[in-house]
Each structure stands twice: as C-alpha cells, then as structure tokens.
C-alpha cells in the first residue's frame, strides 16, 4: 500500500510541474510569415536590370554599366500593411546604399519608385537605422535619436513641404533622446549579415539593427504621415554597389 501511495504522489507531482511550466515550446507556431521564398520573385516587382534571386538571396546590384539616374525599388505587391513587424537579414558592399521602405506609395509615371518611410542602410554606416522619408519630409530621425514629429506648422504650404526641409532634414522635430553613433555602429558587422527588425504600430516606428534600437519616431503630423502602404527595398544612385536580403518575414497586427 505504501509503494502505491508513493507512486501516486510521484505522478501527481510530475503533473503539477508540467502544468506550471509555461515556457513556450521551441516548435511553437510563429505569427511571422515569409514574404520572400528564396527561389523566385513571386509577389515582388522590380527592374530586372538591378534585381535578381541568387543563392536563395534577394540581390540588388548596380554595375558600372547600369549606373542609376534615380533610386529604384523592388516592391512587395501582395500587401500594404498598416501595423506590423518586419524582420530580415541584409549584407551590403562597402560603398553600398540601400533602405527598406514601408507604408509607402508608388509614384505615377515613375516605375519602381516609392514615396514613404524608410529604414536606411549603407555600407559606411553613416545612416544605417535612421528614419528617412523618401521623396517627402527627408530625415525624420538620425541614427540614435528618439523623435516626435509634431503637426506641420501652419506657415508651411501643404503643396510645398520642401520649404520645411534644410540640409536634407525635416525641421519640425522634437528630439527627446540621443544615443551616440560610437555606441551603435560597433554593433554592425561590415561585409557580413546583419538583422533589421522594424516595429510599426499606429504612429510609432522603431528601427532595430542587430537587436539595438537605432531610431524611434512618433509621427503626429496628420497632414503628412502615412498609415499604410507598400514595403520595398532599394538600390540607390551613386557608385556601383551590391546589397543582399534574406529571411524576409512579416507579422501584421490590428
């Protein structure tokens, strides 16, 4: 009888331990979905002069024979997400210049061009992780900054917002925190794979590089902010360059 009681107690104790273990399984389903299959450009649209799939990676390359006159994007056409997280890995050449656009619109009469928010990427890491609004308000947050963008001043005409841009930076910005580049840049691996994680929720946009917050923008400028739009990645005007992307995953939310 004693051995039966001991055995029963052991079973009960083991069950209690299992019920208390709330750690998620390694095999728990993720809400992220892959939006690049590594085999072809299904769902993406770009200029084949500059974009291809190679060794499972999305490759953008500008050669001496294909120098750009304006920036060119490859655009994910299947969704225009509003609130989302985007994760990917990138590798860029030393003189490369690229970026990840989101909540962006296509521009009529300009194939493969986007207007909207961008997480900047460059091989010299002068701009990596900053929030730059392509073809609109320009720099919203430099590397290391936490910024609030207030309403656009009444003195600025809505049809000519460039009057509020100086030195390629939007002038109506409240910077609440700054982290030094010297603290952030060493986290980036040159000529190697790095991770980007974008967290975009309502009017807040956070850009993470290798797990470090590189910029944060809260956009209160109702006249100019975007709430949804396309995702795309860029090859930039300038010298020959190469950028590679892989493991591109998206998770949308309400």
């Amino acid at each position: 009888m004693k051995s039966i009681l001991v055995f029963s107690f052991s079973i009960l104790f083991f069950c209690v331990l299992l019920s208390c273990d709330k750690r998620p399984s390694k095999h728990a389903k993720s809400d992220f979905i892959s939006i690049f299959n590594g085999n072809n450009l299904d769902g993406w649209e770009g200029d084949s002069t500059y974009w291809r799939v190679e060794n499972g990676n999305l490759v953008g390359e500008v050669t001496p024979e294909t120098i750009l006159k304006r920036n060119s994007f490859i655009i994910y056409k299947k969704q225009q997400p509003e609130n989302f997280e985007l994760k990917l890995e990138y590798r860029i050449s030393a003189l490369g210049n690229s970026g990840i656009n989101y909540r962006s619109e296509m521009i009529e009469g300009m194939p493969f061009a986007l207007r909207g928010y961008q997480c900047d990427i460059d091989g010299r890491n002068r701009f990596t992780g900053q929030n730059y609004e392509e073809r609109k308000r320009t720099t919203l947050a430099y590397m290391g900054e936490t910024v609030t963008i207030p309403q656009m001043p009444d003195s600025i005409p809505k049809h000519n917002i460039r009057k509020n841009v100086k030195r390629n930076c939007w002038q109506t910005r409240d910077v609440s925190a700054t982290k030094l580049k010297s603290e952030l840049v060493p986290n980036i691996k040159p000529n190697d794979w790095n991770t980007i994680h974008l967290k975009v929720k309502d009017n807040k946009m956070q850009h993470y590089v290798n797990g470090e917050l590189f910029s944060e923008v809260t956009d209160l400028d109702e006249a100019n902010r975007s709430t949804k739009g396309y995702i795309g990645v860029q090859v930039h005007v300038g010298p020959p360059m190469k950028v590679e992307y892989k493991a591109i995953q998206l998770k949308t939310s309400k």
Side-chain angles (χ1 to χ4, degrees):
M1 183 66 178
K2 182 178 178 182
S3 60
I4 293 174
L5 287 172
V6 170
F7 178 77
S8 299
F9 180 79
S10 299
I11 292 293
L12 178 61
F13 182 72
F14 180 71
C15 290
V16 169
L17 282 178
L18 284 179
S19 66
C20 291
D21 187 359
K22 301 297 183 182
R23 292 171 297 178
S25 166
K26 290 189 296 184
H27 306 291
K29 183 179 177 182
S30 170
D31 292 327
F32 283 89
I33 61 166
S34 175
I35 61 172
F36 168 62
N37 62 29
N39 299 312
N40 54 51
L41 296 177
D42 180 43
W44 296 79
E45 186 176 294
D47 188 335
S48 60
T49 302
Y50 302 103
W51 295 99
R52 66 183 185 272
V53 178
E54 185 176 276
N55 299 322
N57 304 324
L58 176 59
V59 179
E61 186 169 20
V62 180
T63 68
E65 294 74 34
T66 61
I67 295 297
L68 285 162
K69 293 183 178 179
R70 61 173 174 82
N71 301 338
S72 186
F73 288 83
I74 187 165
I75 303 163
Y76 182 61
K77 298 292 289 293
K78 288 188 175 182
Q79 293 185 59
Q80 295 187 58
E82 181 178 355
N83 294 326
F84 65 91
E85 292 184 44
L86 182 74
K87 291 181 178 180
L88 56 76
E89 296 179 45
Y90 78 90
R91 180 168 61 186
I92 191 166
S93 60
L95 297 180
N97 193 337
S98 184
I100 307 156
N101 263 54
Y102 57 93
R103 286 185 174 177
S104 294
E105 61 178 328
M106 292 186 289
I107 303 171
E108 187 175 354
M110 297 180 67
F112 315 121
L114 286 177
R115 178 188 291 118
Y117 301 112
Q118 181 182 115
C119 175
D120 231 324
I121 294 169
D122 71 294
R124 286 178 283 185
N125 295 315
R126 296 176 299 169
F127 314 115
T128 299
Q130 73 175 16
N131 192 316
Y132 181 86
E133 196 173 38
E134 177 87 0
R135 294 185 175 274
K136 206 168 179 182
R137 291 173 291 177
T138 67
T139 305
L140 301 180
Y142 290 107
M143 185 191 299
E145 289 186 336
T146 297
V147 174
T148 298
I149 306 295
Q151 296 280 8
M152 185 173 68
D154 293 336
S155 59
I156 304 301
K158 292 182 180 180
H159 65 276
N160 190 9
I161 63 173
R162 297 292 298 183
K163 285 193 172 183
N164 201 40
V165 173
K166 292 181 181 179
R167 299 185 185 90
N168 210 30
C169 180
W170 187 246
Q171 294 301 292
T172 311
R173 306 181 323 125
D174 296 328
V175 181
S176 59
T178 303
K179 201 167 187 179
L180 296 175
K181 276 189 177 184
S182 58
E183 298 178 59
L184 294 171
V185 170
N187 294 300
I188 305 172
K189 295 171 282 187
N191 302 309
D192 202 351
W193 291 101
N194 296 276
T195 64
I196 296 283
H197 185 181
L198 306 183
K199 295 183 179 182
V200 180
K201 176 70 172 175
D202 299 329
N203 57 17
K204 181 180 287 188
M205 293 152 282
Q206 296 173 308
H207 297 173
Y208 290 85
V209 182
N210 292 335
E212 293 284 338
L213 181 63
F214 268 53
S215 71
E216 177 177 308
V217 169
T218 301
D219 194 350
L220 305 179
D221 184 0
E222 294 179 2
N224 292 302
R225 71 187 183 195
S226 301
T227 58
K228 64 180 293 186
Y230 290 105
I231 290 168
V233 291
Q234 177 197 64
V235 281
H236 201 282
V237 294
M241 59 155 287
K242 183 177 181 181
V243 64
E244 300 168 87
Y245 292 98
K246 67 179 181 179
I248 308 174
Q249 299 180 78
L250 177 68
K251 177 173 73 172
T252 58
S253 60
K254 294 182 179 180

